[in-house]
Amino acid sequence: MSRPVALLLLLLAPLQALAVETMRIAMGDSQGEVRVSGRGLSFGPDTEDARFSPLSQDGVTVRRRGSRLELNGAPVIGNAVRFRAGADSDDAGVPGSSPLRAGDMQVRGDVVVRLYKDGLQLINVIPLEDYLTAVLGSEMPVSFPPEALKAQAVAARTYALQKKLETYGSPFHMGSSVLHQVYGGVNREDPRTRAAVEATRGEVLTYELAPIEAYFHASCGGRTETGQDALQRDLPYLQAVDCPCGRLPASRWSATVSDSELRAALGQSTEGFRVTSRTPTQRVNRVATSGGASLDGAAFRRKLGYTKLKSLEFDVERTSGGWHFNGRGYGHGAGLCQWGAKALADEGLSYRDILLHYYPGTELQQLY
């Protein structure tokens, strides 16, 4: 049996026992104290077969005292405690359906508070389909056509399961920021996102029987980028394909960077820069600064800021006291283009057709 298939069977083992697939999402860190609240709050150890003990109140404070945890001032055994709302102790192993608030986020499922570095870490243990409902509301406008939302649901589910395989056995599988998939909790849910998730329940994209690395981005500007050029991921299903988003106003942007901003981002000795190479899709591959440094395009964009330089497909000209950029697209450009998915859905394509366009050579499979 190949390693991807063996891991996939291991991944689905909890599903057979609990009738639900879960994700562990890092919500953020706390210095040394966090408030957790929810109706019918209970707590237990951070294990899938834990028995939960009800609390007499709907809110508790977890503090770090040296190398131990305290719950409302009382010591807790172990380096983590898990909370659940609206579930009896007999429901052990099944995430509660009532929302919990931990820190500044309200989420479904369970919340784990664990010792981490010099403070505390919050982890949301949540059913995958509930997680996806909030991810869609965080990652794609809910006003997009249903077929575009369905395509995003499958891509996000596939991405999450691939990350779970990659990090199996770790305290958490992904974060909640743009570095993985943006996840805003209950406040980002919407009836339209839930409908898209339910319509595609259990569907994933695979390549050679394993879930793919289903990267996605907001807008490619008219042609997606290869995985190698965008992410240093030479994957056969992340190829450059034509995209209708190039016709949309949302794919165009401009920005101005002053000389002082450039120096602050790239170094005090920098007075300017020039593009030295581009990828076949005309995205910036490398730049050279006047101070003698050579940077790859991704590093250049990161230093100037992702919201300032929305993509690496840009032209630039020198202005009085600064630099003016005219660009196309928003994001790294690999995989599913969200605005392109909208355009294709508006043209009548199904979510299956959209996915196979942006991830050529993959298969859509019903995993559960």
Side-chain angles (χ1 to χ4, degrees):
M1 181 181 297
S2 68
R3 185 173 182 272
V5 176
L7 283 173
L8 195 56
L9 293 175
L10 183 63
L11 171 73
L12 292 176
L15 176 65
Q16 299 166 359
L18 303 177
V20 65
E21 182 67 50
T22 60
M23 295 294 300
R24 295 177 65 95
I25 308 299
M27 301 164 58
D29 301 339
S30 173
Q31 290 301 311
E33 179 178 312
V34 66
R35 182 76 174 172
V36 180
S37 59
R39 182 178 56 82
L41 198 63
S42 59
F43 76 103
D46 183 21
T47 61
E48 294 304 316
D49 59 353
R51 292 190 64 83
F52 284 74
S53 301
L55 291 160
S56 59
Q57 53 195 308
D58 290 343
V60 296
T61 299
V62 184
R63 293 186 178 91
R64 177 171 187 150
R65 296 292 189 192
S67 60
R68 70 178 186 180
L69 292 172
E70 287 184 353
L71 184 61
N72 280 351
V76 177
I77 297 174
N79 64 359
V81 60
R82 186 159 165 169
F83 296 95
R84 178 172 296 171
D88 298 326
S89 60
D90 290 340
D91 294 331
V94 180
S97 58
S98 298
L100 279 167
R101 180 169 291 279
D104 59 358
M105 281 187 69
Q106 187 178 31
V107 297
R108 299 193 187 278
D110 296 350
V111 168
V112 174
V113 183
R114 65 185 287 260
L115 298 173
Y116 182 69
K117 297 182 179 178
D118 295 329
L120 301 172
Q121 183 178 51
L122 307 180
I123 298 172
N124 184 197
V125 185
I126 182 172
L128 174 57
E129 305 300 308
D130 286 337
Y131 164 71
L132 293 172
T133 299
V135 166
L136 257 66
S138 304
E139 286 281 6
M140 177 177 274
V142 298
S143 60
F144 274 17
E147 295 304 302
L149 288 169
K150 292 176 191 176
Q152 179 65 67
V154 174
R157 182 183 295 110
T158 304
Y159 184 89
L161 287 175
Q162 194 279 327
K163 288 297 180 185
K164 184 171 182 176
L165 286 170
E166 189 177 82
T167 59
Y168 197 85
S170 299
F172 62 92
H173 305 127
M174 291 195 298
S176 57
S177 74
V178 69
L179 295 178
H180 289 113
Q181 295 187 136
V182 180
Y183 168 60
V186 172
N187 292 336
R188 304 304 298 178
E189 296 178 356
D190 185 273
R192 287 164 290 190
T193 65
R194 186 164 293 281
V197 170
E198 287 298 323
T200 62
R201 183 179 179 84
E203 289 187 328
V204 296
L205 287 163
T206 64
Y207 187 84
E208 295 183 347
L209 302 180
I212 70 167
E213 296 180 36
Y215 292 100
F216 53 87
H217 58 279
S219 171
C220 68
R223 188 164 176 80
T224 65
E225 184 62 285
T226 67
Q228 179 63 44
D229 286 328
L231 304 160
Q232 289 73 57
R233 304 292 296 151
D234 188 13
L235 299 167
Y237 47 80
L238 293 181
Q239 300 300 321
V241 299
D242 290 332
C243 176
C245 84
R247 304 191 299 266
L248 304 176
S251 71
R252 303 286 173 168
W253 59 269
S254 63
T256 299
V257 176
S258 67
D259 287 337
S260 59
E261 287 177 302
L262 188 71
R263 285 194 296 269
L266 302 183
Q268 292 301 315
S269 63
T270 297
E271 295 296 334
F273 73 95
R274 60 187 176 88
V275 175
T276 57
S277 67
R278 293 180 180 269
T279 71
T281 64
Q282 294 306 300
R283 289 172 171 86
V284 172
N285 185 45
R286 295 201 72 83
V287 300
T289 71
S290 60
S294 177
L295 296 113
D296 66 69
F300 179 73
R301 182 175 173 232
R302 183 181 68 250
K303 287 177 179 292
L304 284 181
Y306 295 123
T307 56
K308 177 73 75 171
L309 293 190
K310 293 186 176 182
S311 76
L312 287 174
E313 188 178 357
F314 62 76
D315 299 313
V316 61
E317 60 181 1
R318 189 75 164 98
T319 64
S320 176
W323 304 80
H324 185 72
F325 296 81
N326 283 307
R328 294 159 293 281
Y330 193 171
H332 52 64
L336 175 75
C337 172
Q338 293 171 327
W339 278 92
K342 176 191 183 302
L344 292 174
D346 286 338
E347 293 174 7
L349 270 69
S350 71
Y351 75 95
R352 294 181 176 87
D353 293 332
I354 293 170
L355 289 167
L356 297 181
H357 174 72
Y358 289 110
Y359 305 106
T362 61
E363 293 183 284
L364 190 61
Q365 296 191 11
Q366 192 79 41
L367 192 58
Y368 54 85

